[in-house]
Amino acid sequence: MSETSQGPVGVDQRQATADQPAAAQPSAAQLSAAQRNAVAELLRVSPVADELGRRFTAAGHELHLVGGSVRDALLGRLGDDLDFCTDAQPDQTLAVLKGWAEAIWETGREFGTIGAMRGGLRLEITTFRAEAYDGVSRNPVVRYGTSLADDLVRRDFTINAMAVSLPGHVFTDPHGGLGDLAARVIRTPGTPQQSFGDDPLRMLRAARFVAKLRFTPDPAVVAAMTELAPSLDRITPERIRDEFTKLMVGADPIAALRLLVDTGLADRFLPELPGLKLAIDEHAQHKDVYEHTLTVVSNAIRLEGGGEPDFTLRLAALLHDIGKPATKAVGSDGRVSFHHHEVVGARLTRQRMKALRYPKDVTADVTRLVELHLRFYGYGRGEWTDSAVRRYVTDGGPLLDRLHKLTRSDCTTRNRRKAAALAADYDALEERIARIAAEEDLARVRPDLDGNAIMELLGLPPGPLVGQAWRHLKELRLERGPLTRDEAEDELRAWARAQGL
């Protein structure tokens, strides 16, 4: 690696070398743009970062902005969470921070990390690391390193193995990360086999960066992911869940999902996804349900309208058809069907999300969307009464807006006439919902008599019979719309007589 040279905008850059892959060789314009981004971002945080650097220097220690913070600064998207590394050990770091930081926490102390808050920035300072792995778990045996080089070589990817010294702003890039950043390539500082063998979770992290940054993994990285996919079994479900969630809310989860399937990683924690390749779509519009599913996810992202990523909607789109392989049937006419796949899919969704330790409320929402995603398809035949519309809204509940988007996303037919008809049908349904909602509070459909009124009218104490009466009145409310007080009381008395009360 050549020596560093002063860049045109004040951040030293380590030049690309002859042994760096050709795909990663950045152009002068790309390097200049990255430098401008970095300087602009560093100027924003420098009052705090440089002041902290001067404090470490005065105490006889090094301080470097490092990892994702440098990567994001070069991309022009540095946030308010800054990562630093230092040769100071935790007690020494604490001594530097005390009296300067507005808040200090030591929750990461066993890994050499001390956290602090200053000027609205969240700072994490970690002692140089040079850990070793036991090859059984992903947990490293924490061993402090003695140099910045030790620290950078242990990092997951070259784009995260760059550093900027403080307060001097000298840029260090021993593994060609800047070139890879400019070329939008994901590589590892050492061999990917060594990196992923040390920590298999890094394979999911590679896919996450594909989704987040729209980067392309180096062929050697893809080969190592394929070779070492079984080692993902060493990772806890919670860790896998967290990486997968970040992947799903990335800018381009489709490319990342393909990578997970192609390398066999999906087989280790989400086998239902590659399993969709076994089921041919009944409309014969896609090579398989797998391709249809990825299109539905893409459609759902488009319907988010550029707002915050909706993980619940995206995951429901990904899982909405996972019941198809188990329900596939071929009729006498040769047509393929998947009867009740939404019911089976909801059950499989609940099981998979439970295995990945998703919170109960998120699991319930995604499962409900999978269960309801086919409900709309009877509407176009003109069979829906106002009662059916009320039930649709009530069953959708707070998920109704997501259900609208999921249902529209599920229309992937290439037949323009059919696609237009489905869109028109759903437009008509939404207009009908709006009309009925203007007359009734569909979001809060409840019986016309509450529990207290039921007990008073029938002379019942609190108990199961009151609940049965309440549900009966709610069914009437859904079927007929609002009842007057007299009508509701008459219906309740008729129900009570039928129950022998």
Side-chain angles (χ1 to χ4, degrees):
M1 180 63 66
S2 62
E3 296 295 320
T4 57
S5 61
Q6 185 66 30
V9 288
V11 176
D12 287 359
Q13 69 178 45
R14 194 174 292 271
Q15 302 294 327
T17 60
D19 59 351
Q20 189 175 328
Q25 293 283 358
S27 68
Q30 288 172 318
L31 290 175
S32 181
Q35 287 180 316
R36 286 194 298 272
N37 286 335
V39 169
E41 296 294 83
L42 288 173
L43 285 175
R44 180 176 67 84
V45 302
S46 64
V48 171
D50 286 350
E51 185 178 346
L52 182 60
R54 286 191 291 270
R55 291 180 67 87
F56 272 84
T57 299
H61 300 298
E62 302 175 31
L63 185 71
H64 308 272
L65 189 69
V66 73
S69 293
V70 177
R71 178 198 71 226
D72 290 344
L74 289 164
L75 291 171
R77 56 172 73 173
L78 182 61
D80 294 331
D81 291 347
L82 305 181
D83 294 326
F84 302 87
C85 65
T86 179
D87 60 340
Q89 295 201 6
D91 285 341
Q92 296 168 316
T93 295
L94 281 170
V96 173
L97 293 173
K98 285 181 178 177
W100 177 82
E102 296 161 1
I104 297 174
W105 56 92
E106 302 181 45
T107 51
R109 184 188 181 104
E110 64 175 310
F111 298 106
T113 300
I114 302 296
M117 185 74 71
R118 173 81 176 190
L121 299 176
R122 182 183 175 94
L123 319 171
E124 290 202 341
I125 303 104
T126 303
T127 304
F128 289 154
R129 298 262 288 275
E131 59 246 7
Y133 292 80
D134 59 14
V136 177
S137 70
R138 69 173 293 271
N139 297 320
V141 178
V142 176
R143 180 166 57 86
Y144 295 140
T146 59
S147 69
L148 178 62
D150 287 343
D151 188 90
L152 295 181
V153 75
R154 74 172 183 84
R155 293 181 177 267
D156 51 6
F157 305 110
T158 59
I159 58 174
N160 296 329
M162 299 177 283
V164 175
S165 66
L166 298 166
H169 292 189
V170 174
F171 180 56
T172 302
D173 179 21
H175 304 289
L178 180 57
D180 289 340
L181 196 70
R184 308 177 71 83
V185 172
I186 297 173
R187 288 193 306 118
T188 54
T191 68
Q193 284 79 4
Q194 178 66 48
S195 181
F196 300 155
D198 285 345
D199 183 358
L201 191 64
R202 289 174 173 174
M203 295 186 288
L204 282 190
R205 198 170 295 134
R208 193 234 298 178
F209 283 125
V210 168
K212 178 181 178 180
L213 302 175
R214 299 181 187 269
F215 281 20
T216 300
D218 183 79
V221 168
V222 176
M225 291 169 70
T226 305
E227 175 188 345
L228 298 175
S231 65
L232 191 66
D233 296 348
R234 290 160 42 192
I235 307 302
T236 64
E238 292 85 357
R239 296 276 188 171
I240 292 174
R241 173 202 65 204
D242 291 347
E243 285 296 329
F244 180 65
T245 300
K246 292 174 184 176
L247 181 158
M248 285 299 298
V249 297
D252 184 16
I254 306 303
L257 291 167
R258 290 189 184 279
L259 179 63
L260 292 178
V261 171
D262 292 346
T263 57
L265 282 165
D267 290 316
R268 315 313 301 189
F269 72 96
L270 192 63
E272 294 83 1
L273 180 57
L276 292 175
K277 289 190 172 186
L278 301 177
I280 305 301
D281 186 84
E282 68 268 35
H283 304 298
Q285 298 300 306
H286 307 278
K287 289 192 293 186
D288 50 43
V289 178
Y290 169 72
E291 292 294 335
H292 162 75
T293 293
L294 295 183
T295 302
V296 174
V297 175
S298 181
N299 289 344
I301 293 171
R302 177 176 49 81
L303 290 178
E304 289 174 353
E308 287 295 314
D310 187 338
F311 172 75
T312 297
L313 173 64
R314 293 184 182 195
L315 190 59
L318 184 67
L319 302 180
H320 80 286
D321 272 350
I322 63 171
K324 281 190 171 181
T327 57
K328 179 182 176 181
V330 181
S332 57
D333 59 357
R335 287 181 62 83
V336 176
S337 64
F338 304 96
H339 295 305
H340 305 300
H341 75 267
E342 75 281 12
V343 177
V344 175
R347 174 174 55 81
L348 293 175
T349 295
R350 185 179 299 107
Q351 291 173 351
R352 179 54 53 198
M353 294 186 69
K354 182 178 179 181
L356 288 172
R357 309 289 197 270
Y358 276 101
K360 290 182 180 179
D361 58 337
V362 178
T363 299
D365 286 350
V366 175
T367 299
R368 187 64 168 157
L369 288 170
V370 172
E371 182 181 11
L372 293 175
H373 83 274
L374 281 186
R375 181 76 67 84
F376 158 75
Y377 285 95
Y379 183 80
R381 296 193 294 268
E383 300 170 357
W384 280 33
T385 61
D386 282 357
S387 170
V389 175
R390 291 188 196 98
R391 290 180 187 279
Y392 187 76
V393 173
T394 301
D395 289 347
L399 298 172
L400 185 63
D401 183 59
R402 287 180 171 127
L403 182 58
H404 288 332
K405 293 175 182 177
L406 177 60
T407 302
R408 288 184 181 275
S409 298
D410 197 24
C411 176
T412 63
T413 177
R414 296 174 186 173
N415 184 316
R416 292 185 178 181
R417 182 178 297 178
K418 183 175 182 179
L422 285 170
D425 285 345
Y426 211 86
D427 288 343
L429 174 59
E430 290 200 47
E431 291 170 4
R432 193 171 175 188
I433 289 172
R435 175 181 60 77
I436 297 174
E439 302 167 359
E440 312 170 27
D441 187 0
L442 289 182
R444 296 174 59 84
V445 172
R446 299 178 64 82
D448 297 281
L449 300 175
D450 63 17
N452 290 328
I454 291 170
M455 290 188 288
E456 181 179 350
L457 189 66
L458 298 183
L460 292 174
L465 283 174
V466 178
Q468 292 175 26
W470 189 93
R471 286 188 290 274
H472 172 71
L473 289 176
K474 181 174 181 180
E475 287 298 313
L476 286 176
R477 173 73 170 74
L478 289 170
E479 185 67 31
R480 292 165 48 181
L483 304 178
T484 67
R485 177 79 182 201
D486 288 343
E487 288 173 334
E489 290 183 354
D490 288 344
E491 291 292 346
L492 180 61
R493 291 190 183 98
W495 175 84
R497 287 192 296 271
Q499 303 303 310
L501 300 177

